[in-house]
Amino acid sequence: MSQQAAGVLAAQAGSLEAARSTFAEALEPVRLDRFPPPRAPHRATLVAGRDDGFVPREEAERLHAHWPGSTLTWLPGGHVTSVVVYGRAQRRALLDTFHRS
């Protein structure tokens, strides 16, 4: 998340911590680690940005631990730059996942 966006959210929520808490509560229903892991988690590849302000590193690592045997691939950059700049690496990870047995 950019500094400017964080500042706006913090101002609206009353503090940066309140903004983070509100954001986390809003996303709680869709957290994948709330559900059982897939039947074959070793076939899953998770791709995460090292500097992602939307999905923190800890969340990617938590999901990776929740899906034992999954592959966690780190890309430089944040949420958007990982897609825009490293889209090819993401597509490669997807193809590699399809070929994994």
Side-chain angles (χ1 to χ4, degrees), residues 1-13 15-16 19-20 53:
M1 177 181 316
S2 73
Q3 290 294 97
Q4 183 179 9
V8 170
L9 290 173
Q12 291 174 346
S15 72
L16 185 55
R20 285 185 176 143

Side-chain angles (χ1 to χ4, degrees), residues 1 3 9 12-14 24 28 31-32 35 41-42 45-46 51 55 59 61 66-68 73 82 85 93-95:
M1 177 181 316
Q3 290 294 97
L9 290 173
Q12 291 174 346
E28 184 65 27
R31 289 177 53 108
L32 292 176
F35 303 98
H42 67 280
T45 300
L46 307 170
D51 301 311
V55 180
E59 294 298 321
E61 291 166 349
H66 183 62
W67 290 6
T73 301
S82 291
V85 178
L94 178 66
L95 291 173

